[in-house]
Amino acid sequence: MAFSACSMLKLITMVSMALLLLLLPYVHGQGLTVGFYNNTCPNAESLVQQAVAKAFANDSTVAPGLIRLFFHDCFVRGCDGSVLLDSNSTNSAEKDGPPNNPSLHGFEVIDSAKSAVEAACNATVSCADIVAFAARDAAALAGNITWAVPSGRRDGSVSIANETLANLPPSNFNASQLIQNFANKNLTLDEMVTLSGAHSIGVAHCGVITNGRIYNFSGNASAFDPTLSSSYADLLRNKCPSNSTLSTPITVGLDIITPNVLDNRYYTGLQLNLALMTSDQALMTNVNTSAEVNSNANNQTAWVEKFKKAMVRMGNIEVLTGTQGEIRKNCRVVNSGSGIGLVVDSIVSHEY
């Protein structure tokens, strides 16, 4: 049967559209692609995974630390690796902003991964992508949760400490404030509640919960937040003195039920008034967020699937791609910088 030129054109168009639809699951918003380094640096993801696994074997708090590092990177200037930049004589960087200093850790794991990747593929893999890969690998180690990470991010060259306050949600936010904070990053209420499940691992400094949570509620020095279980409040008071500050080295786990496993038990804790921070318990004070909490608490498998998708969505926030940004040789310094020396951080944890 003969084909006219018009019929042939239609056939070619249909085949092209079919091929495009087949590719869509692998191509994500703003130019990110699963397997972005398959040709240019095929071992990139495995080298990052090896660096994370080695660090995790020595200290399991690597896992929550790296997940939090990814979140704090993406929420300030997008997922551009700007949280990794060191401060210098003329600028205080994000890592030294109030929500990050002194609790944000995991930088040396990224340094190790970057060194391995640079040795294999010079100036090819961005620091921003390494942070995204490391967060996925951390979730795999802590909760057997993994996903395909779209990559192709480029590194930013601006990092300003004061911007952390305007973008990162503090531990005393209420439900409405949390919903708006995530909406500002184009993340839904459901994604906000789902991503909050990362608080099933990690710790917080006592200074985060002393004023208003376990002491000094509504100006009463001896009162604790009534949304907190009284027995849990007593336990926390026994560990955290009332004069604790953010620099006080005492920490408590974010999830009392399964503190070392990334799972949905965090939501069970919320149902039982066992949330450590005000912003966590706040999820039970809103009819929509509490419904999501109850749903996640009742179905581990469903929460895991939502968590994976939400992590991918978060990884798309304001990314730099194509010719934007750069591929940093040293994740702590922009390529045009003066080569500030590498600073090795000795602690890795998911701390607040």
Side-chain angles (χ1 to χ4, degrees):
M1 182 174 67
F3 285 94
S4 67
C6 182
S7 297
M8 182 62 71
L9 180 59
K10 288 181 179 179
L11 178 62
I12 292 173
T13 300
M14 290 174 62
V15 171
S16 298
M17 289 299 294
L19 289 173
L20 179 60
L21 289 173
L22 287 173
L23 289 173
L24 281 178
Y26 303 94
V27 180
H28 294 255
Q30 304 186 61
L32 301 185
T33 307
V34 171
F36 182 82
Y37 298 107
N38 284 353
N39 295 323
T40 58
C41 192
N43 294 327
E45 294 192 44
S46 63
L47 289 171
V48 175
Q49 190 277 331
Q50 290 167 27
V52 174
K54 182 178 179 179
F56 182 84
N58 293 324
D59 182 358
S60 62
T61 61
V62 160
L66 291 172
I67 293 172
R68 186 174 181 232
L69 195 65
F70 182 46
F71 167 63
H72 280 228
D73 183 35
C74 291
F75 264 54
V76 183
R77 291 189 169 268
C79 312
D80 67 345
S82 55
V83 73
L84 305 174
L85 289 169
D86 282 342
S87 297
N88 56 39
S89 59
T90 61
N91 179 64
S92 181
E94 288 172 31
K95 64 171 60 172
D96 290 318
N100 293 335
N101 186 11
S103 64
L104 193 64
H105 297 285
F107 301 107
E108 80 287 357
V109 182
I110 303 301
D111 292 337
S112 178
K114 178 64 171 175
S115 294
V117 171
E118 281 296 309
C121 317
N122 179 52
T124 302
V125 181
S126 70
C127 299
D129 277 342
I130 289 175
V131 171
F133 294 146
R136 181 266 314 274
D137 298 334
L141 291 166
N144 197 29
I145 300 172
T146 191
W147 59 91
V149 177
S151 51
R153 299 169 188 80
R154 305 268 290 181
D155 297 322
S157 59
V158 178
S159 184
I160 302 171
N162 286 341
E163 292 185 349
T164 58
L165 288 170
N167 290 279
L168 295 170
S171 62
N172 62 352
F173 258 14
N174 61 36
S176 296
Q177 290 170 317
L178 288 169
I179 293 168
Q180 185 59 57
N181 179 264
F182 277 68
N184 291 342
K185 307 301 176 183
N186 292 319
L187 295 173
T188 66
L189 178 150
D190 178 48
E191 287 167 334
M192 181 271 288
V193 178
T194 297
L195 290 169
S196 295
H199 283 181
S200 68
I201 50 176
V203 299
H205 285 264
C206 284
V208 171
I209 59 171
T210 47
N211 187 26
R213 187 64 172 154
I214 61 174
Y215 301 104
N216 200 36
F217 181 77
S218 293
N220 184 341
S222 63
F224 61 85
D225 189 333
T227 65
L228 185 65
S229 160
S230 59
S231 58
Y232 189 34
D234 289 339
L235 186 152
L236 293 172
R237 286 180 169 193
N238 286 334
K239 189 163 187 179
C240 297
S242 59
N243 61 351
S244 298
T245 66
L246 292 178
S247 60
T248 301
I250 307 171
T251 60
V252 288
L254 290 168
D255 175 13
I256 194 174
I257 301 175
T258 53
N260 299 314
V261 181
L262 181 62
D263 60 15
N264 70 330
R265 302 301 283 171
Y266 158 83
Y267 300 102
T268 303
L270 300 189
Q271 293 174 321
L272 297 173
N273 293 329
L274 296 174
L276 185 70
M277 298 189 296
T278 301
S279 57
D280 287 317
Q281 197 62 53
L283 299 181
M284 294 300 293
T285 66
N286 174 285
V287 63
N288 294 315
T289 58
S290 63
E292 294 299 332
V293 167
N294 295 332
S295 175
N296 291 338
N298 292 334
N299 195 325
Q300 162 78 0
T301 301
W303 171 73
V304 167
E305 290 305 310
K306 291 199 300 180
F307 183 78
K308 294 190 290 187
K309 292 177 182 177
M311 288 291 279
V312 170
R313 282 264 294 145
M314 185 173 72
N316 274 288
I317 297 175
E318 300 171 32
V319 294
L320 303 175
T321 58
T323 58
Q324 300 172 315
E326 62 181 12
I327 305 295
R328 271 185 243 140
K329 297 275 290 179
N330 177 344
C331 291
R332 295 173 179 263
V333 186
V334 295
N335 289 343
S336 58
S338 57
I340 299 173
L342 211 63
V343 179
V344 178
D345 198 346
S346 60
I347 304 175
V348 186
S349 63
H350 191 181
E351 297 180 357
Y352 288 82

